[in-house]
Amino acid sequence: MSLYDQLPALIGVVVGSLGSFAAQSLTERRRWQRQREERWDEKRFETYGRYANALKAQLRIAQRIGSALGFTDVADPLPPAEGLPLLAEAESRRATEWESVLLVGDAVTVAAARRWHETIWTIELLVRDGSFDADKWTRAHQLASAARDDFYKSARNDLGIGGGPPPSGQWPRSWRAELSG
C-alpha cells in the first residue's frame, strides 16, 4: 500500500484526534466553570449570611437599649451606658463584614444591603438621641423590616434560590396585638 492509499485513514485519525481533543477541552472548561461558579455561590452565601447575622446582632443591641429607654415591643432592656459600647462593637463587626459583601455581591444585593444597614443606623440614632418617640421607633422598624426583606430577596436571586423570599417581618409584631385584643 502506498502513502497515497493510506492518506484518507491518516486524515481520519488526525481529524478524530483533533475532535476528541476539542470535545475534551470543552468538557473540562465547562466543568471548571461550573466548579468555580459553585465556589463563588458558596462564598456569596456565607458572606450574605455573616452580614445578615452581624446586622441582626446590631439591631438586637439597639432594640434592647431602646427597651431601657421606654420603647415597646422589645424585651431584655439594656441600659445605654452598658449597651452603647456593645453597639459600637457590633457596628465594627458589621463594617468588617460589609467589605466582603462589596467584594462578592452583585450590584442589586449590595444596594439592598446598604439600604438595610442605613435603616439600622436610623434605629441606632434614635437610641443614641435618647428621646422617646414611639411613632419614629415604629416607623424606623418598619423601614428596617422592608429593607431586610429587599436584601433577602436580592441575595436569594443572586444565589439562584428559587421561590419567594421568606415572609415579611411586620412591625410591631402581630402576636403582641393578639395578646392585647
Side-chain angles (χ1 to χ4, degrees):
M1 257 193 185
S2 73
L3 181 63
Y4 184 73
D5 292 334
Q6 294 177 1
L7 193 58
L10 216 73
I11 291 173
V13 168
V14 169
V15 168
S17 296
L18 289 175
S20 177
F21 175 76
Q24 186 175 7
S25 293
L26 282 174
T27 300
E28 286 300 315
R29 181 172 172 78
R30 286 184 184 140
R31 181 179 304 137
W32 180 82
Q33 287 174 333
R34 189 172 45 253
Q35 289 172 343
R36 189 185 81 185
E37 288 171 9
E38 288 171 3
R39 282 192 310 270
W40 278 111
D41 282 349
E42 187 176 317
K43 237 352 159 193
R44 280 194 309 271
F45 175 79
E46 291 169 4
T47 298
Y48 292 160
R50 283 192 315 268
Y51 187 72
N53 287 330
L55 264 176
K56 292 295 282 188
Q58 189 174 352
L59 174 61
R60 182 70 182 133
I61 293 167
Q63 289 174 327
R64 290 182 63 205
I65 296 168
S67 177
L69 297 172
F71 292 113
T72 59
D73 296 312
V74 181
D76 304 324
L78 182 62
E82 293 175 37
L84 291 175
L86 296 175
L87 194 55
E89 193 176 301
E91 167 57 20
S92 291
R93 279 193 307 276
R94 189 232 31 105
T96 299
E97 296 297 340
W98 172 242
E99 296 306 316
S100 296
V101 173
L102 289 172
L103 283 171
V104 301
D106 69 352
V108 174
T109 306
V110 167
R114 178 176 283 120
R115 177 68 183 133
W116 188 17
H117 74 238
E118 288 171 351
T119 63
I120 302 301
W121 289 346
T122 302
I123 294 169
E124 280 191 32
L125 289 174
L126 291 174
V127 299
R128 288 181 188 281
D129 179 42
S131 61
F132 181 82
D133 186 329
D135 291 334
K136 283 184 182 178
W137 180 255
T138 298
R139 182 68 184 138
H141 277 81
Q142 289 169 339
L143 292 171
S145 183
R148 176 185 171 268
D149 293 346
D150 288 344
F151 170 76
Y152 279 109
K153 180 180 176 186
S154 298
R156 289 169 62 92
N157 187 50
D158 186 29
L159 294 168
I161 298 173
S168 180
Q170 301 298 317
W171 190 272
R173 303 294 183 225
S174 60
W175 63 268
R176 297 275 301 199
E178 292 169 1
L179 291 175
S180 302

